[in-house]
């Protein structure tokens, strides 16, 4: 009883460290003394987002490696998250952790991709994406897409996977929410160009980050083809074109996906000339040549590489030309 008052309260007033550790170890402090920790958490909601003690408390909290639903959903904690979203004093790492926390709760279904959640409260995920009053906050969109990619297997290659790499697939509902976000961003842009209006110069980088989410696709259909055509020219802005191409290679067993791949690869070449792992590029073009109706596109890909001084497709090109 009264563990907090007896063992922790004395540290407040002696320096900001007490606020840092209160934030970082809040889950443990709550376990030890729920009444005390809840009271202190509520007291901190009265502080301004410019208050240094509040800032270091929140920074300490965001360094915690886990996000607990029961803590995240506390009314007082939601106030802290709302305050953090409008703050302009967090550095890039702290702001990225803030985005990760809220994105995790979106993937868990606690935050919706809508203005309000099921309980009628404002969605913090929606706020994160729309309440942007400083250029650096635009990068939160890229951070969201990057986080989605970071929880994927990242690479499909057996030859470069770590022996200790976790192979457990993500739950279906999580993957679906990732795809929902991608589709929502595409639709929003196509309807009125509002994503580009929000992100301005960061818009191409966001599209490049979305290209990495191809790892979650089982095939390329009418809908996802449009997504990929929009992102493909920017895949190298994140220096990730080799991953994007690898994820396309993983879809070569699906005939319908192959038929849509030539347009996508030509879009890649509009923005860059990827050459890493030439065998992957070779595999894609070889698959295109297996479809007579795609020969012109395959020829164009080969010629584009040749014109740019890359000749690893030369032999494949001549192999597929008719001889008299």
């Amino acid at each position: 009883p009264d563990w907090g008052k007896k063992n922790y309260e004395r540290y407040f007033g002696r320096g900001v460290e007490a606020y840092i550790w209160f934030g970082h170890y809040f889950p443990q402090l709550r376990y030890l003394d729920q009444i005390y920790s809840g009271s202190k958490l509520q007291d901190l909601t009265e502080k301004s987002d410019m208050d240094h003690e509040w800032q270091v408390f929140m920074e300490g909290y965001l360094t915690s490696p886990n996000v607990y639903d029961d803590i995240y959903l506390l009314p007082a904690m939601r106030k802290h998250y709302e305050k953090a979203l409008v703050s302009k004093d967090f550095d890039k790492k702290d702001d990225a952790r803030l985005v990760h926390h809220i994105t995790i709760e979106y993937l868990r279904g606690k935050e919706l991709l809508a203005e309000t959640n099921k309980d009628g409260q404002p969605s913090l995920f929606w706020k994160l994406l729309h309440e942007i009053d400083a250029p650096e906050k635009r990068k939160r969109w890229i951070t969201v897409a990057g986080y989605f990619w970071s929880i994927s297997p990242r690479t499909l290659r057996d030859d470069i996977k770590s022996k200790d790499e976790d192979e457990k697939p993500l739950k279906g509902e999580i993957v679906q929410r990732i795809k929902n976000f991608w589709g929502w961003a595409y639709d929003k842009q196509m309807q009125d160009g509002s994503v580009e209006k929000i992100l301005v110069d960061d818009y191409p980088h966001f599209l490049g980050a979305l290209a990495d989410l191809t790892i979650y696709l089982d095939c390329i259909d009418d809908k996802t083809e449009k997504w990929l055509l929009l992102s493909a020219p920017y895949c190298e802005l994140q220096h990730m074109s080799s991953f994007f191409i690898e994820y396309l290679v993983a879809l070569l067993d699906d005939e319908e996906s192959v038929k849509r791949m030539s347009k996508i690869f030509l879009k890649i070449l509009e923005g860059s000339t990827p050459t890493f792992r030439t065998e992957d590029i070779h595999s894609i073009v070889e698959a295109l040549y297996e479809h007579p109706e795609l020969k012109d596109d395959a020829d164009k890909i080969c010629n584009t590489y040749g014109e740019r001084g890359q000749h690893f497709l030369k032999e494949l090109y001549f192999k597929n030309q008719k001889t008299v």
Side-chain angles (χ1 to χ4, degrees):
D2 292 330
W3 184 94
K5 290 181 180 178
K6 294 176 181 177
N7 296 283
Y8 200 83
E9 182 64 23
R10 54 187 165 150
Y11 295 113
F12 287 105
R14 297 186 183 184
V16 296
E17 290 83 358
Y19 292 91
I20 297 172
W21 297 124
F22 181 76
H24 182 75
Y25 289 109
F26 181 76
Q28 291 84 352
L29 290 166
R30 186 167 183 263
Y31 172 78
L32 291 167
D33 192 333
Q34 189 166 335
I35 295 175
Y36 170 80
S37 61
S39 176
K40 296 298 292 186
L41 189 71
Q42 182 62 44
D43 290 345
L44 284 166
T45 64
E46 302 301 320
K47 292 183 178 291
S48 162
D49 65 278
M50 299 180 67
D51 185 283
H52 185 60
E53 291 174 346
W54 177 84
Q55 289 172 7
V56 297
F57 149 73
M58 198 62 189
E59 288 171 3
Y61 172 74
L62 291 171
T63 61
S64 180
N66 298 308
V67 182
Y68 300 96
D69 288 351
D70 60 333
I71 293 176
Y72 180 88
L73 295 173
L74 290 172
M77 186 54 74
R78 287 188 65 82
K79 290 181 181 179
H80 291 303
Y81 277 111
E82 290 177 344
K83 198 180 298 184
L85 282 173
V86 302
S87 175
K88 298 179 182 178
D89 293 314
F90 290 125
D91 64 22
K92 291 181 180 179
K93 290 183 179 179
D94 290 325
D95 197 71
R97 292 189 187 106
L98 171 66
V99 173
H100 291 169
H101 275 221
I102 295 173
T103 303
I104 287 169
E105 292 301 316
Y106 162 70
L107 292 176
R108 291 175 179 173
K110 301 298 188 297
E111 300 287 353
L112 298 184
L113 191 55
E115 290 190 57
T116 57
N117 293 324
K118 293 178 181 178
D119 60 3
Q121 290 207 61
S123 167
L124 299 186
F125 191 63
W126 186 267
K127 283 178 173 287
L128 180 158
L129 297 170
H130 289 86
E131 296 184 4
I132 295 174
D133 56 1
E136 58 270 17
K137 291 185 180 181
R138 297 197 297 255
K139 298 189 185 300
R140 289 173 173 174
W141 287 62
I142 302 172
T143 303
V144 169
Y147 181 76
F148 289 156
W149 178 79
S150 75
I151 62 174
S152 73
R154 300 198 188 191
T155 176
L156 300 175
R157 265 183 211 297
D158 292 331
D159 57 330
I160 61 176
K161 283 181 180 177
S162 165
K163 292 181 180 179
D164 298 324
E165 189 171 338
D166 184 7
E167 297 295 336
K168 293 181 180 178
L170 292 180
K171 292 182 178 179
E173 60 266 27
I174 291 178
V175 174
Q176 188 57 54
R177 289 185 183 112
I178 292 172
K179 292 179 180 178
N180 289 346
F181 173 83
W182 193 355
W184 169 83
Y186 175 84
D187 292 341
K188 189 175 178 67
Q189 175 61 21
M190 290 300 102
Q191 287 168 6
D192 56 12
S194 55
V195 176
E196 187 171 9
K197 292 175 184 175
I198 292 171
L199 299 184
V200 196
D201 294 340
D202 289 310
Y203 176 66
H205 293 273
F206 172 65
L207 292 182
L210 288 179
D212 302 335
L213 304 184
T214 306
I215 192 171
Y216 291 112
L217 300 182
D218 298 319
C219 66
I220 304 173
D221 56 21
D222 287 340
K223 178 174 64 175
T224 54
E225 178 187 20
K226 294 174 183 176
W227 300 356
L228 295 174
L229 287 172
L230 185 63
S231 289
Y234 308 102
C235 65
E236 185 54 23
L237 289 180
Q238 302 292 116
H239 307 292
M240 297 285 283
S241 61
S242 62
F243 282 98
F244 181 41
I245 292 170
E246 180 185 340
Y247 304 152
L248 293 178
V249 169
L251 302 176
L252 289 178
D253 290 336
D254 182 73
E255 288 296 308
E256 290 304 311
S257 296
V258 174
K259 292 177 182 179
R260 302 173 190 276
M261 215 169 285
S262 61
K263 292 180 181 179
I264 294 168
F265 207 97
L266 286 170
K267 280 292 184 180
I268 294 175
L269 293 175
E270 288 183 10
S272 62
T273 313
T275 57
F276 184 69
R277 297 198 72 93
T278 56
E279 59 268 37
D280 281 350
I281 300 168
H282 189 283
S283 295
I284 290 175
V285 179
E286 187 173 37
L288 298 181
Y289 273 125
E290 292 175 1
H291 297 268
E293 71 275 19
L294 301 178
K295 181 182 180 300
D296 288 346
D297 285 345
D299 285 348
K300 188 174 182 179
I301 292 170
C302 293
N303 288 328
T304 300
Y305 270 101
E307 291 166 0
R308 297 176 184 178
Q310 301 294 333
H311 303 292
F312 60 90
L313 294 173
K314 182 177 180 180
E315 184 177 339
L316 180 63
Y317 171 81
F318 283 112
K319 177 183 176 182
N320 287 276
Q321 304 310 304
K322 290 183 179 180
T323 57
V324 180

